[in-house]
Amino acid sequence: MQTSTIEIEGLSIATREAGPAGAPAFLLLHGWPQSSYAFERVVAPDLPCIGGSQGVPEAGDKRTLARLMRGVAETCGLRQLVAAGHDVGGQIVFALLSDHPEILSGAAIMDVVIPGVAPWEKVIRNPQIWHFAFHAIPALPETLVSGHQSAYFDFFFNVLSKDRASIPDDAREIYAKAYSRPESLQAGFDWYRAFPEDAKANAARPAKPIAVPVLYLRGAAESGDIGDYVDGLRAAGLSNVEGDIIADSGHFVADENPEALAARLARFHREISAAGSNSTWRQA
């Protein structure tokens, strides 16, 4: 695994990369409250201002972040690209599909609801998803969480994972450190503050269906019916989307069952490479 820094629109984006240059590629986008450490293979950037990435992005909306991630992909020379995003990273992948489908051979969205896309309204009414509203309050989350990132993040790792022991202490320490700077913590909360803008952008359906193959993944212990999420993506204009479950995992699939996730993503890549990016595909 090699680490490097890429300059995009005045920001410094830290990346972890493995594999030969010019080979078919994955771009792996982490979510909250994680960093690129969640992924141990291929190209995994820290999102702007998180972990080793420097510089505050102009906004936390997912279209802005998708544009920056396109810059990462182009700078790295990624080809036959499959973008895979977890949590907020999945929301960025949806924005890539909407705004930059021409750079993608495929996309994977993991363990997340897309703002403005069903079952978004149902999810945000769920009192157990209280942190969406809390994180969107200006300044207050930073005030209360700053200096207590480890304890605060541990709450989510423990509650949302199938087995809290599957996320080891060293990984938790790395994630907390990735948000230790004031601007990093703000950047993470800004992702939530941008949800209304994201929902408005995502409500605008594409002029024609987006045919890029999309795999929606969800941990087996996650709440909610995966069919609702897959149906929502199809209704939002993704014409070639399928869903699958990662066994023995809750929300944090890359940490909880990395072997199963890597195998499923590799299989997805093989399927779309064999079929061609403009062909429909089905699960084996």
Side-chain angles (χ1 to χ4, degrees):
M1 179 70 68
Q2 298 177 341
T3 60
S4 62
T5 300
I6 298 171
E7 301 299 322
I8 303 292
E9 297 186 18
L11 304 178
S12 177
I13 307 297
T15 66
R16 295 154 57 84
E17 182 175 357
F26 277 107
L27 179 68
L28 304 177
L29 305 180
H30 66 84
W32 188 93
Q34 295 173 287
S35 70
S36 63
Y37 184 75
F39 301 112
E40 293 289 345
R41 301 177 66 185
V42 206
V43 178
D46 283 333
L47 292 179
C49 208
I50 305 302
S53 293
Q54 304 289 325
V56 180
E58 64 185 44
D61 69 282
K62 310 315 170 291
R63 298 184 75 174
T64 294
L65 296 174
R67 187 184 71 243
L68 293 169
M69 293 304 103
R70 173 176 182 153
V72 169
E74 291 177 340
T75 301
C76 291
L78 305 185
R79 55 180 293 274
Q80 292 180 251
L81 175 62
V82 174
H86 175 261
D87 191 79
V88 169
Q91 296 176 351
I92 298 171
V93 169
F94 184 86
L96 279 170
L97 284 161
S98 298
D99 292 353
H100 312 283
E102 69 281 359
I103 74 166
L104 299 174
S105 294
I109 297 172
M110 300 178 278
D111 291 291
V112 73
V113 64
I114 305 301
V117 175
W120 172 250
E121 294 297 332
K122 179 179 179 181
V123 169
I124 61 175
R125 289 196 301 267
N126 183 347
Q128 295 183 347
I129 313 297
W130 57 269
H131 60 287
F132 278 27
F134 172 60
H135 292 175
I137 299 172
L140 181 61
E142 289 92 330
T143 300
L144 297 180
V145 176
S146 181
H148 305 282
Q149 286 92 330
S150 292
Y152 189 65
F153 293 176
D154 277 348
F155 170 82
F156 293 96
F157 290 135
N158 294 341
V159 169
L160 298 179
S161 60
K162 182 176 184 289
D163 177 4
R164 65 179 62 187
S166 64
I167 306 175
D169 290 342
D170 58 346
R172 293 173 185 240
E173 182 179 347
I174 288 170
Y175 295 143
K177 185 177 180 181
Y179 294 80
S180 61
R181 291 175 289 138
E183 61 270 28
S184 300
L185 199 57
Q186 178 182 335
F189 291 136
D190 281 346
W191 300 336
Y192 293 83
R193 293 170 183 141
F195 280 174
E197 183 178 351
D198 295 333
K200 183 178 180 180
N202 295 337
R205 300 298 185 247
K208 61 180 181 178
I210 297 170
V212 176
V214 176
L215 177 64
Y216 182 85
L217 295 176
R218 202 161 180 82
E222 277 267 51
S223 61
D225 183 349
I226 189 173
D228 293 339
Y229 293 82
V230 172
D231 290 345
L233 293 173
R234 289 175 181 156
L238 303 182
S239 65
N240 198 6
V241 56
E242 297 290 340
D244 207 351
I245 297 291
I246 299 297
D248 298 319
S249 179
H251 179 70
F252 300 99
V253 292
D255 287 278
E256 297 184 64
N257 197 343
E259 294 83 5
L261 176 60
R264 188 63 185 90
L265 290 177
R267 181 179 131 202
F268 177 52
H269 206 301
R270 290 194 303 269
E271 289 170 344
I272 60 177
S273 296
S277 60
N278 293 322
S279 300
T280 57
W281 62 280
R282 304 291 297 182
Q283 298 181 74

